[in-house]
PDB file of all heavy atoms in Angstrom:
ATOM      1  N   SER E 155      -3.444  -1.772   9.799  1.00  0.00           N
ATOM      2  CA  SER E 155      -2.594  -2.296   8.724  1.00  0.00           C
ATOM      3  C   SER E 155      -1.166  -1.783   8.845  1.00  0.00           C
ATOM      4  O   SER E 155      -0.205  -2.539   8.654  1.00  0.00           O
ATOM      5  CB  SER E 155      -3.182  -1.923   7.361  1.00  0.00           C
ATOM      6  OG  SER E 155      -3.216  -0.515   7.181  1.00  0.00           O
ATOM      7  N   GLN E 156      -1.005  -0.499   9.184  1.00  0.00           N
ATOM      8  CA  GLN E 156       0.344   0.037   9.354  1.00  0.00           C
ATOM      9  C   GLN E 156       1.069  -0.633  10.518  1.00  0.00           C
ATOM     10  O   GLN E 156       2.270  -0.910  10.440  1.00  0.00           O
ATOM     11  CB  GLN E 156       0.285   1.542   9.577  1.00  0.00           C
ATOM     12  CG  GLN E 156      -0.004   2.356   8.328  1.00  0.00           C
ATOM     13  CD  GLN E 156       0.144   3.835   8.571  1.00  0.00           C
ATOM     14  OE1 GLN E 156      -0.424   4.386   9.508  1.00  0.00           O
ATOM     15  NE2 GLN E 156       0.902   4.506   7.721  1.00  0.00           N
ATOM     16  N   ALA E 157       0.345  -0.885  11.599  1.00  0.00           N
ATOM     17  CA  ALA E 157       0.971  -1.492  12.771  1.00  0.00           C
ATOM     18  C   ALA E 157       1.369  -2.941  12.509  1.00  0.00           C
ATOM     19  O   ALA E 157       2.432  -3.395  12.939  1.00  0.00           O
ATOM     20  CB  ALA E 157       0.023  -1.401  13.962  1.00  0.00           C
ATOM     21  N   LEU E 158       0.524  -3.679  11.779  1.00  0.00           N
ATOM     22  CA  LEU E 158       0.833  -5.077  11.510  1.00  0.00           C
ATOM     23  C   LEU E 158       2.079  -5.227  10.650  1.00  0.00           C
ATOM     24  O   LEU E 158       2.848  -6.184  10.811  1.00  0.00           O
ATOM     25  CB  LEU E 158      -0.363  -5.754  10.835  1.00  0.00           C
ATOM     26  CG  LEU E 158      -1.553  -6.074  11.748  1.00  0.00           C
ATOM     27  CD1 LEU E 158      -2.706  -6.652  10.957  1.00  0.00           C
ATOM     28  CD2 LEU E 158      -1.136  -7.052  12.851  1.00  0.00           C
ATOM     29  N   VAL E 159       2.284  -4.289   9.742  1.00  0.00           N
ATOM     30  CA  VAL E 159       3.489  -4.335   8.914  1.00  0.00           C
ATOM     31  C   VAL E 159       4.735  -4.220   9.787  1.00  0.00           C
ATOM     32  O   VAL E 159       5.782  -4.808   9.499  1.00  0.00           O
ATOM     33  CB  VAL E 159       3.453  -3.221   7.848  1.00  0.00           C
ATOM     34  CG1 VAL E 159       4.796  -3.090   7.147  1.00  0.00           C
ATOM     35  CG2 VAL E 159       2.369  -3.513   6.828  1.00  0.00           C
ATOM     36  N   GLN E 160       4.625  -3.459  10.885  1.00  0.00           N
ATOM     37  CA  GLN E 160       5.765  -3.288  11.791  1.00  0.00           C
ATOM     38  C   GLN E 160       6.124  -4.582  12.515  1.00  0.00           C
ATOM     39  O   GLN E 160       7.206  -4.677  13.113  1.00  0.00           O
ATOM     40  CB  GLN E 160       5.448  -2.200  12.823  1.00  0.00           C
ATOM     41  CG  GLN E 160       5.243  -0.825  12.234  1.00  0.00           C
ATOM     42  CD  GLN E 160       6.509  -0.274  11.595  1.00  0.00           C
ATOM     43  OE1 GLN E 160       7.616  -0.598  12.014  1.00  0.00           O
ATOM     44  NE2 GLN E 160       6.345   0.565  10.586  1.00  0.00           N
ATOM     45  N   ALA E 161       5.243  -5.578  12.459  1.00  0.00           N
ATOM     46  CA  ALA E 161       5.539  -6.862  13.093  1.00  0.00           C
ATOM     47  C   ALA E 161       6.300  -7.804  12.172  1.00  0.00           C
ATOM     48  O   ALA E 161       6.636  -8.921  12.567  1.00  0.00           O
ATOM     49  CB  ALA E 161       4.246  -7.528  13.563  1.00  0.00           C
ATOM     50  N   SER E 162       6.589  -7.369  10.964  1.00  0.00           N
ATOM     51  CA  SER E 162       7.320  -8.212  10.017  1.00  0.00           C
ATOM     52  C   SER E 162       8.783  -8.350  10.437  1.00  0.00           C
ATOM     53  O   SER E 162       9.375  -7.436  11.020  1.00  0.00           O
ATOM     54  CB  SER E 162       7.235  -7.617   8.611  1.00  0.00           C
ATOM     55  OG  SER E 162       8.067  -8.320   7.712  1.00  0.00           O
ATOM     56  N   ARG E 163       9.373  -9.482  10.112  1.00  0.00           N
ATOM     57  CA  ARG E 163      10.797  -9.685  10.379  1.00  0.00           C
ATOM     58  C   ARG E 163      11.676  -9.017   9.329  1.00  0.00           C
ATOM     59  O   ARG E 163      12.869  -8.813   9.549  1.00  0.00           O
ATOM     60  CB  ARG E 163      11.106 -11.192  10.411  1.00  0.00           C
ATOM     61  CG  ARG E 163      10.427 -11.941  11.550  1.00  0.00           C
ATOM     62  CD  ARG E 163      10.832 -13.409  11.530  1.00  0.00           C
ATOM     63  NE  ARG E 163      10.125 -14.174  12.563  1.00  0.00           N
ATOM     64  CZ  ARG E 163      10.546 -14.302  13.812  1.00  0.00           C
ATOM     65  NH1 ARG E 163      11.666 -13.718  14.189  1.00  0.00           N
ATOM     66  NH2 ARG E 163       9.860 -15.014  14.678  1.00  0.00           N
ATOM     67  N   ASN E 164      11.079  -8.681   8.192  1.00  0.00           N
ATOM     68  CA  ASN E 164      11.821  -8.081   7.085  1.00  0.00           C
ATOM     69  C   ASN E 164      11.919  -6.573   7.290  1.00  0.00           C
ATOM     70  O   ASN E 164      10.895  -5.879   7.393  1.00  0.00           O
ATOM     71  CB  ASN E 164      11.126  -8.404   5.760  1.00  0.00           C
ATOM     72  CG  ASN E 164      11.967  -8.027   4.565  1.00  0.00           C
ATOM     73  OD1 ASN E 164      12.467  -6.901   4.471  1.00  0.00           O
ATOM     74  ND2 ASN E 164      12.133  -8.966   3.646  1.00  0.00           N
ATOM     75  N   ILE E 165      13.135  -6.042   7.341  1.00  0.00           N
ATOM     76  CA  ILE E 165      13.326  -4.606   7.577  1.00  0.00           C
ATOM     77  C   ILE E 165      12.725  -3.784   6.447  1.00  0.00           C
ATOM     78  O   ILE E 165      12.109  -2.737   6.679  1.00  0.00           O
ATOM     79  CB  ILE E 165      14.824  -4.284   7.737  1.00  0.00           C
ATOM     80  CG1 ILE E 165      15.378  -4.983   8.984  1.00  0.00           C
ATOM     81  CG2 ILE E 165      15.048  -2.782   7.845  1.00  0.00           C
ATOM     82  CD1 ILE E 165      16.859  -4.770   9.193  1.00  0.00           C
ATOM     83  N   GLU E 166      12.877  -4.229   5.207  1.00  0.00           N
ATOM     84  CA  GLU E 166      12.342  -3.489   4.064  1.00  0.00           C
ATOM     85  C   GLU E 166      10.823  -3.417   4.117  1.00  0.00           C
ATOM     86  O   GLU E 166      10.224  -2.396   3.765  1.00  0.00           O
ATOM     87  CB  GLU E 166      12.804  -4.127   2.762  1.00  0.00           C
ATOM     88  CG  GLU E 166      14.311  -4.029   2.529  1.00  0.00           C
ATOM     89  CD  GLU E 166      14.719  -4.642   1.209  1.00  0.00           C
ATOM     90  OE1 GLU E 166      13.830  -5.208   0.524  1.00  0.00           O
ATOM     91  OE2 GLU E 166      15.912  -4.553   0.862  1.00  0.00           O
ATOM     92  N   VAL E 167      10.199  -4.491   4.564  1.00  0.00           N
ATOM     93  CA  VAL E 167       8.733  -4.484   4.699  1.00  0.00           C
ATOM     94  C   VAL E 167       8.313  -3.499   5.787  1.00  0.00           C
ATOM     95  O   VAL E 167       7.360  -2.731   5.629  1.00  0.00           O
ATOM     96  CB  VAL E 167       8.214  -5.906   5.004  1.00  0.00           C
ATOM     97  CG1 VAL E 167       6.716  -5.863   5.325  1.00  0.00           C
ATOM     98  CG2 VAL E 167       8.472  -6.830   3.826  1.00  0.00           C
ATOM     99  N   ARG E 168       9.028  -3.507   6.905  1.00  0.00           N
ATOM    100  CA  ARG E 168       8.698  -2.582   7.994  1.00  0.00           C
ATOM    101  C   ARG E 168       8.841  -1.125   7.549  1.00  0.00           C
ATOM    102  O   ARG E 168       8.060  -0.266   7.955  1.00  0.00           O
ATOM    103  CB  ARG E 168       9.589  -2.850   9.205  1.00  0.00           C
ATOM    104  CG  ARG E 168       9.328  -4.174   9.890  1.00  0.00           C
ATOM    105  CD  ARG E 168       9.815  -4.159  11.327  1.00  0.00           C
ATOM    106  NE  ARG E 168      11.244  -3.895  11.407  1.00  0.00           N
ATOM    107  CZ  ARG E 168      12.180  -4.838  11.430  1.00  0.00           C
ATOM    108  NH1 ARG E 168      11.830  -6.115  11.346  1.00  0.00           N
ATOM    109  NH2 ARG E 168      13.455  -4.517  11.535  1.00  0.00           N
ATOM    110  N   ASN E 169       9.831  -0.854   6.733  1.00  0.00           N
ATOM    111  CA  ASN E 169      10.053   0.516   6.262  1.00  0.00           C
ATOM    112  C   ASN E 169       9.016   0.963   5.243  1.00  0.00           C
ATOM    113  O   ASN E 169       8.954   2.154   4.911  1.00  0.00           O
ATOM    114  CB  ASN E 169      11.451   0.654   5.660  1.00  0.00           C
ATOM    115  CG  ASN E 169      12.548   0.529   6.710  1.00  0.00           C
ATOM    116  OD1 ASN E 169      12.303   0.766   7.889  1.00  0.00           O
ATOM    117  ND2 ASN E 169      13.745   0.167   6.286  1.00  0.00           N
ATOM    118  N   SER E 170       8.222   0.039   4.742  1.00  0.00           N
ATOM    119  CA  SER E 170       7.205   0.376   3.734  1.00  0.00           C
ATOM    120  C   SER E 170       5.836   0.601   4.357  1.00  0.00           C
ATOM    121  O   SER E 170       4.825   0.598   3.641  1.00  0.00           O
ATOM    122  CB  SER E 170       7.113  -0.735   2.682  1.00  0.00           C
ATOM    123  OG  SER E 170       6.637  -1.947   3.264  1.00  0.00           O
ATOM    124  N   ALA E 171       5.774   0.796   5.675  1.00  0.00           N
ATOM    125  CA  ALA E 171       4.484   0.930   6.354  1.00  0.00           C
ATOM    126  C   ALA E 171       3.672   2.096   5.819  1.00  0.00           C
ATOM    127  O   ALA E 171       2.435   2.051   5.809  1.00  0.00           O
ATOM    128  CB  ALA E 171       4.703   1.092   7.858  1.00  0.00           C
ATOM    129  N   GLU E 172       4.340   3.158   5.352  1.00  0.00           N
ATOM    130  CA  GLU E 172       3.618   4.340   4.895  1.00  0.00           C
ATOM    131  C   GLU E 172       2.802   4.091   3.630  1.00  0.00           C
ATOM    132  O   GLU E 172       1.812   4.790   3.392  1.00  0.00           O
ATOM    133  CB  GLU E 172       4.600   5.486   4.658  1.00  0.00           C
ATOM    134  CG  GLU E 172       5.264   5.999   5.930  1.00  0.00           C
ATOM    135  CD  GLU E 172       6.193   7.155   5.659  1.00  0.00           C
ATOM    136  OE1 GLU E 172       6.363   7.499   4.461  1.00  0.00           O
ATOM    137  OE2 GLU E 172       6.752   7.722   6.620  1.00  0.00           O
ATOM    138  N   ILE E 173       3.235   3.127   2.808  1.00  0.00           N
ATOM    139  CA  ILE E 173       2.514   2.893   1.553  1.00  0.00           C
ATOM    140  C   ILE E 173       1.441   1.819   1.695  1.00  0.00           C
ATOM    141  O   ILE E 173       0.644   1.618   0.781  1.00  0.00           O
ATOM    142  CB  ILE E 173       3.477   2.511   0.414  1.00  0.00           C
ATOM    143  CG1 ILE E 173       4.110   1.127   0.690  1.00  0.00           C
ATOM    144  CG2 ILE E 173       4.542   3.568   0.234  1.00  0.00           C
ATOM    145  CD1 ILE E 173       4.904   0.604  -0.475  1.00  0.00           C
ATOM    146  N   VAL E 174       1.416   1.139   2.847  1.00  0.00           N
ATOM    147  CA  VAL E 174       0.444   0.056   3.038  1.00  0.00           C
ATOM    148  C   VAL E 174      -1.001   0.538   2.892  1.00  0.00           C
ATOM    149  O   VAL E 174      -1.813  -0.133   2.241  1.00  0.00           O
ATOM    150  CB  VAL E 174       0.659  -0.618   4.411  1.00  0.00           C
ATOM    151  CG1 VAL E 174      -0.497  -1.555   4.745  1.00  0.00           C
ATOM    152  CG2 VAL E 174       1.963  -1.388   4.404  1.00  0.00           C
ATOM    153  N   PRO E 175      -1.388   1.706   3.472  1.00  0.00           N
ATOM    154  CA  PRO E 175      -2.776   2.156   3.287  1.00  0.00           C
ATOM    155  C   PRO E 175      -3.158   2.333   1.824  1.00  0.00           C
ATOM    156  O   PRO E 175      -4.304   2.056   1.447  1.00  0.00           O
ATOM    157  CB  PRO E 175      -2.803   3.503   4.033  1.00  0.00           C
ATOM    158  CG  PRO E 175      -1.710   3.405   5.027  1.00  0.00           C
ATOM    159  CD  PRO E 175      -0.638   2.604   4.374  1.00  0.00           C
ATOM    160  N   TYR E 176      -2.211   2.744   0.990  1.00  0.00           N
ATOM    161  CA  TYR E 176      -2.516   2.961  -0.423  1.00  0.00           C
ATOM    162  C   TYR E 176      -2.648   1.643  -1.176  1.00  0.00           C
ATOM    163  O   TYR E 176      -3.465   1.522  -2.096  1.00  0.00           O
ATOM    164  CB  TYR E 176      -1.444   3.844  -1.053  1.00  0.00           C
ATOM    165  CG  TYR E 176      -1.421   5.227  -0.467  1.00  0.00           C
ATOM    166  CD1 TYR E 176      -0.588   5.544   0.598  1.00  0.00           C
ATOM    167  CD2 TYR E 176      -2.270   6.218  -0.953  1.00  0.00           C
ATOM    168  CE1 TYR E 176      -0.590   6.811   1.157  1.00  0.00           C
ATOM    169  CE2 TYR E 176      -2.277   7.488  -0.407  1.00  0.00           C
ATOM    170  CZ  TYR E 176      -1.434   7.771   0.647  1.00  0.00           C
ATOM    171  OH  TYR E 176      -1.447   9.019   1.203  1.00  0.00           O
ATOM    172  N   ILE E 177      -1.851   0.649  -0.785  1.00  0.00           N
ATOM    173  CA  ILE E 177      -2.002  -0.676  -1.381  1.00  0.00           C
ATOM    174  C   ILE E 177      -3.361  -1.261  -1.019  1.00  0.00           C
ATOM    175  O   ILE E 177      -4.084  -1.797  -1.870  1.00  0.00           O
ATOM    176  CB  ILE E 177      -0.865  -1.608  -0.912  1.00  0.00           C
ATOM    177  CG1 ILE E 177       0.488  -1.077  -1.396  1.00  0.00           C
ATOM    178  CG2 ILE E 177      -1.096  -3.032  -1.406  1.00  0.00           C
ATOM    179  CD1 ILE E 177       1.673  -1.864  -0.870  1.00  0.00           C
ATOM    180  N   LEU E 178      -3.713  -1.135   0.258  1.00  0.00           N
ATOM    181  CA  LEU E 178      -5.011  -1.618   0.713  1.00  0.00           C
ATOM    182  C   LEU E 178      -6.140  -0.868   0.023  1.00  0.00           C
ATOM    183  O   LEU E 178      -7.151  -1.451  -0.388  1.00  0.00           O
ATOM    184  CB  LEU E 178      -5.104  -1.452   2.229  1.00  0.00           C
ATOM    185  CG  LEU E 178      -6.343  -2.006   2.920  1.00  0.00           C
ATOM    186  CD1 LEU E 178      -6.426  -3.510   2.724  1.00  0.00           C
ATOM    187  CD2 LEU E 178      -6.308  -1.682   4.412  1.00  0.00           C
ATOM    188  N   LEU E 179      -5.956   0.459  -0.131  1.00  0.00           N
ATOM    189  CA  LEU E 179      -6.962   1.279  -0.808  1.00  0.00           C
ATOM    190  C   LEU E 179      -7.156   0.832  -2.251  1.00  0.00           C
ATOM    191  O   LEU E 179      -8.290   0.728  -2.737  1.00  0.00           O
ATOM    192  CB  LEU E 179      -6.522   2.746  -0.766  1.00  0.00           C
ATOM    193  CG  LEU E 179      -7.362   3.740  -1.574  1.00  0.00           C
ATOM    194  CD1 LEU E 179      -8.769   3.816  -1.016  1.00  0.00           C
ATOM    195  CD2 LEU E 179      -6.698   5.115  -1.558  1.00  0.00           C
ATOM    196  N   LEU E 180      -6.052   0.552  -2.945  1.00  0.00           N
ATOM    197  CA  LEU E 180      -6.131   0.116  -4.334  1.00  0.00           C
ATOM    198  C   LEU E 180      -6.927  -1.175  -4.456  1.00  0.00           C
ATOM    199  O   LEU E 180      -7.788  -1.313  -5.336  1.00  0.00           O
ATOM    200  CB  LEU E 180      -4.716  -0.077  -4.888  1.00  0.00           C
ATOM    201  CG  LEU E 180      -4.607  -0.545  -6.341  1.00  0.00           C
ATOM    202  CD1 LEU E 180      -5.224   0.493  -7.280  1.00  0.00           C
ATOM    203  CD2 LEU E 180      -3.150  -0.805  -6.718  1.00  0.00           C
ATOM    204  N   ILE E 181      -6.686  -2.112  -3.536  1.00  0.00           N
ATOM    205  CA  ILE E 181      -7.413  -3.385  -3.580  1.00  0.00           C
ATOM    206  C   ILE E 181      -8.904  -3.170  -3.341  1.00  0.00           C
ATOM    207  O   ILE E 181      -9.757  -3.716  -4.063  1.00  0.00           O
ATOM    208  CB  ILE E 181      -6.826  -4.351  -2.532  1.00  0.00           C
ATOM    209  CG1 ILE E 181      -5.372  -4.695  -2.879  1.00  0.00           C
ATOM    210  CG2 ILE E 181      -7.663  -5.619  -2.441  1.00  0.00           C
ATOM    211  CD1 ILE E 181      -4.666  -5.488  -1.809  1.00  0.00           C
ATOM    212  N   ILE E 182      -9.235  -2.362  -2.336  1.00  0.00           N
ATOM    213  CA  ILE E 182     -10.646  -2.122  -2.006  1.00  0.00           C
ATOM    214  C   ILE E 182     -11.363  -1.430  -3.162  1.00  0.00           C
ATOM    215  O   ILE E 182     -12.492  -1.791  -3.528  1.00  0.00           O
ATOM    216  CB  ILE E 182     -10.764  -1.273  -0.723  1.00  0.00           C
ATOM    217  CG1 ILE E 182     -10.277  -2.068   0.494  1.00  0.00           C
ATOM    218  CG2 ILE E 182     -12.201  -0.807  -0.509  1.00  0.00           C
ATOM    219  CD1 ILE E 182     -11.134  -3.265   0.831  1.00  0.00           C
ATOM    220  N   LEU E 183     -10.729  -0.411  -3.755  1.00  0.00           N
ATOM    221  CA  LEU E 183     -11.387   0.354  -4.806  1.00  0.00           C
ATOM    222  C   LEU E 183     -11.580  -0.458  -6.077  1.00  0.00           C
ATOM    223  O   LEU E 183     -12.490  -0.186  -6.858  1.00  0.00           O
ATOM    224  CB  LEU E 183     -10.588   1.622  -5.109  1.00  0.00           C
ATOM    225  CG  LEU E 183     -10.557   2.669  -3.989  1.00  0.00           C
ATOM    226  CD1 LEU E 183      -9.831   3.924  -4.444  1.00  0.00           C
ATOM    227  CD2 LEU E 183     -11.967   3.022  -3.535  1.00  0.00           C
ATOM    228  N   ILE E 184     -10.725  -1.451  -6.316  1.00  0.00           N
ATOM    229  CA  ILE E 184     -10.931  -2.334  -7.463  1.00  0.00           C
ATOM    230  C   ILE E 184     -12.183  -3.174  -7.257  1.00  0.00           C
ATOM    231  O   ILE E 184     -12.981  -3.383  -8.174  1.00  0.00           O
ATOM    232  CB  ILE E 184      -9.692  -3.230  -7.678  1.00  0.00           C
ATOM    233  CG1 ILE E 184      -8.513  -2.387  -8.174  1.00  0.00           C
ATOM    234  CG2 ILE E 184      -9.993  -4.347  -8.674  1.00  0.00           C
ATOM    235  CD1 ILE E 184      -7.226  -3.169  -8.300  1.00  0.00           C
ATOM    236  N   VAL E 185     -12.371  -3.624  -6.009  1.00  0.00           N
ATOM    237  CA  VAL E 185     -13.517  -4.480  -5.701  1.00  0.00           C
ATOM    238  C   VAL E 185     -14.789  -3.657  -5.505  1.00  0.00           C
ATOM    239  O   VAL E 185     -15.871  -4.013  -5.984  1.00  0.00           O
ATOM    240  CB  VAL E 185     -13.224  -5.315  -4.437  1.00  0.00           C
ATOM    241  CG1 VAL E 185     -14.430  -6.172  -4.057  1.00  0.00           C
ATOM    242  CG2 VAL E 185     -12.003  -6.186  -4.663  1.00  0.00           C
ATOM    243  N   ARG E 186     -14.652  -2.511  -4.810  1.00  0.00           N
ATOM    244  CA  ARG E 186     -15.812  -1.677  -4.485  1.00  0.00           C
ATOM    245  C   ARG E 186     -15.410  -0.216  -4.638  1.00  0.00           C
ATOM    246  O   ARG E 186     -14.944   0.411  -3.667  1.00  0.00           O
ATOM    247  CB  ARG E 186     -16.290  -1.975  -3.064  1.00  0.00           C
ATOM    248  CG  ARG E 186     -17.592  -1.303  -2.690  1.00  0.00           C
ATOM    249  CD  ARG E 186     -18.043  -1.715  -1.298  1.00  0.00           C
ATOM    250  NE  ARG E 186     -19.209  -0.978  -0.868  1.00  0.00           N
ATOM    251  CZ  ARG E 186     -20.459  -1.277  -1.183  1.00  0.00           C
ATOM    252  NH1 ARG E 186     -20.709  -2.313  -1.958  1.00  0.00           N
ATOM    253  NH2 ARG E 186     -21.463  -0.539  -0.743  1.00  0.00           N
ATOM    254  N   PRO E 187     -15.555   0.357  -5.831  1.00  0.00           N
ATOM    255  CA  PRO E 187     -15.042   1.710  -6.109  1.00  0.00           C
ATOM    256  C   PRO E 187     -15.587   2.803  -5.193  1.00  0.00           C
ATOM    257  O   PRO E 187     -14.902   3.792  -4.954  1.00  0.00           O
ATOM    258  CB  PRO E 187     -15.473   1.951  -7.568  1.00  0.00           C
ATOM    259  CG  PRO E 187     -15.652   0.592  -8.143  1.00  0.00           C
ATOM    260  CD  PRO E 187     -16.143  -0.266  -7.021  1.00  0.00           C
ATOM    261  N   GLU E 188     -16.793   2.651  -4.674  1.00  0.00           N
ATOM    262  CA  GLU E 188     -17.370   3.675  -3.812  1.00  0.00           C
ATOM    263  C   GLU E 188     -16.927   3.550  -2.360  1.00  0.00           C
ATOM    264  O   GLU E 188     -17.339   4.349  -1.513  1.00  0.00           O
ATOM    265  CB  GLU E 188     -18.901   3.642  -3.888  1.00  0.00           C
ATOM    266  CG  GLU E 188     -19.548   2.385  -3.344  1.00  0.00           C
ATOM    267  CD  GLU E 188     -19.618   1.285  -4.393  1.00  0.00           C
ATOM    268  OE1 GLU E 188     -19.003   1.411  -5.458  1.00  0.00           O
ATOM    269  OE2 GLU E 188     -20.322   0.281  -4.127  1.00  0.00           O
ATOM    270  N   GLY E 189     -16.073   2.576  -2.061  1.00  0.00           N
ATOM    271  CA  GLY E 189     -15.624   2.371  -0.690  1.00  0.00           C
ATOM    272  C   GLY E 189     -16.527   1.395   0.050  1.00  0.00           C
ATOM    273  O   GLY E 189     -17.575   0.980  -0.443  1.00  0.00           O
ATOM    274  N   LEU E 190     -16.127   1.038   1.260  1.00  0.00           N
ATOM    275  CA  LEU E 190     -16.857   0.020   2.009  1.00  0.00           C
ATOM    276  C   LEU E 190     -18.275   0.444   2.355  1.00  0.00           C
ATOM    277  O   LEU E 190     -19.205  -0.356   2.337  1.00  0.00           O
ATOM    278  CB  LEU E 190     -16.090  -0.318   3.297  1.00  0.00           C
ATOM    279  CG  LEU E 190     -14.713  -0.966   3.109  1.00  0.00           C
ATOM    280  CD1 LEU E 190     -14.020  -1.122   4.457  1.00  0.00           C
ATOM    281  CD2 LEU E 190     -14.848  -2.312   2.417  1.00  0.00           C
ATOM    282  N   PHE E 191     -18.457   1.743   2.707  1.00  0.00           N
ATOM    283  CA  PHE E 191     -19.770   2.228   3.136  1.00  0.00           C
ATOM    284  C   PHE E 191     -20.299   3.338   2.231  1.00  0.00           C
ATOM    285  O   PHE E 191     -21.278   3.995   2.577  1.00  0.00           O
ATOM    286  CB  PHE E 191     -19.688   2.753   4.579  1.00  0.00           C
ATOM    287  CG  PHE E 191     -19.356   1.701   5.587  1.00  0.00           C
ATOM    288  CD1 PHE E 191     -18.035   1.392   5.881  1.00  0.00           C
ATOM    289  CD2 PHE E 191     -20.351   1.001   6.237  1.00  0.00           C
ATOM    290  CE1 PHE E 191     -17.716   0.422   6.814  1.00  0.00           C
ATOM    291  CE2 PHE E 191     -20.034   0.024   7.177  1.00  0.00           C
ATOM    292  CZ  PHE E 191     -18.719  -0.271   7.457  1.00  0.00           C
ATOM    293  N   GLY E 192     -19.633   3.577   1.111  1.00  0.00           N
ATOM    294  CA  GLY E 192     -20.044   4.653   0.221  1.00  0.00           C
ATOM    295  C   GLY E 192     -21.343   4.338  -0.503  1.00  0.00           C
ATOM    296  O   GLY E 192     -21.758   3.176  -0.619  1.00  0.00           O
ATOM    297  N   GLN E 193     -21.987   5.369  -0.991  1.00  0.00           N
ATOM    298  CA  GLN E 193     -23.252   5.223  -1.701  1.00  0.00           C
ATOM    299  C   GLN E 193     -22.992   5.092  -3.200  1.00  0.00           C
ATOM    300  O   GLN E 193     -22.216   5.846  -3.778  1.00  0.00           O
ATOM    301  CB  GLN E 193     -24.154   6.436  -1.459  1.00  0.00           C
ATOM    302  CG  GLN E 193     -24.559   6.617  -0.006  1.00  0.00           C
ATOM    303  CD  GLN E 193     -25.418   7.843   0.185  1.00  0.00           C
ATOM    304  OE1 GLN E 193     -25.638   8.617  -0.732  1.00  0.00           O
ATOM    305  NE2 GLN E 193     -25.905   8.034   1.401  1.00  0.00           N
ATOM    306  N   LYS E 194     -23.631   4.107  -3.793  1.00  0.00           N
ATOM    307  CA  LYS E 194     -23.533   3.936  -5.245  1.00  0.00           C
ATOM    308  C   LYS E 194     -24.663   4.733  -5.883  1.00  0.00           C
ATOM    309  O   LYS E 194     -25.842   4.435  -5.701  1.00  0.00           O
ATOM    310  CB  LYS E 194     -23.648   2.470  -5.627  1.00  0.00           C
ATOM    311  CG  LYS E 194     -23.512   2.204  -7.128  1.00  0.00           C
ATOM    312  CD  LYS E 194     -23.623   0.727  -7.445  1.00  0.00           C
ATOM    313  CE  LYS E 194     -22.430  -0.040  -6.906  1.00  0.00           C
ATOM    314  NZ  LYS E 194     -22.483  -1.469  -7.322  1.00  0.00           N
ATOM    315  N   ARG E 195     -24.296   5.799  -6.595  1.00  0.00           N
ATOM    316  CA  ARG E 195     -25.299   6.683  -7.213  1.00  0.00           C
ATOM    317  C   ARG E 195     -25.517   6.278  -8.673  1.00  0.00           C
ATOM    318  O   ARG E 195     -24.550   6.088  -9.421  1.00  0.00           O
ATOM    319  CB  ARG E 195     -24.858   8.138  -7.119  1.00  0.00           C
ATOM    320  CG  ARG E 195     -24.757   8.628  -5.675  1.00  0.00           C
ATOM    321  CD  ARG E 195     -24.446  10.110  -5.609  1.00  0.00           C
ATOM    322  NE  ARG E 195     -24.368  10.562  -4.247  1.00  0.00           N
ATOM    323  CZ  ARG E 195     -25.391  10.966  -3.508  1.00  0.00           C
ATOM    324  NH1 ARG E 195     -26.618  10.950  -4.053  1.00  0.00           N
ATOM    325  NH2 ARG E 195     -25.226  11.369  -2.272  1.00  0.00           N
ATOM    326  N   ILE E 196     -26.779   6.183  -9.041  1.00  0.00           N
ATOM    327  CA  ILE E 196     -27.148   5.815 -10.401  1.00  0.00           C
ATOM    328  C   ILE E 196     -27.863   7.013 -11.040  1.00  0.00           C
ATOM    329  O   ILE E 196     -28.848   7.515 -10.493  1.00  0.00           O
ATOM    330  CB  ILE E 196     -28.071   4.585 -10.422  1.00  0.00           C
ATOM    331  CG1 ILE E 196     -27.350   3.396  -9.782  1.00  0.00           C
ATOM    332  CG2 ILE E 196     -28.477   4.272 -11.847  1.00  0.00           C
ATOM    333  CD1 ILE E 196     -28.213   2.160  -9.669  1.00  0.00           C
TER     334      ILE E 196
END
């Protein structure tokens, strides 16, 4: 994800590569709070 952002034509987007993992993390945790392979404990 960080590398793909570097392929953007927009300089501001390229400079935001460091926050991309956190944006992706926020989306994943909203959908699946325990993570992709985490265990759901009841």
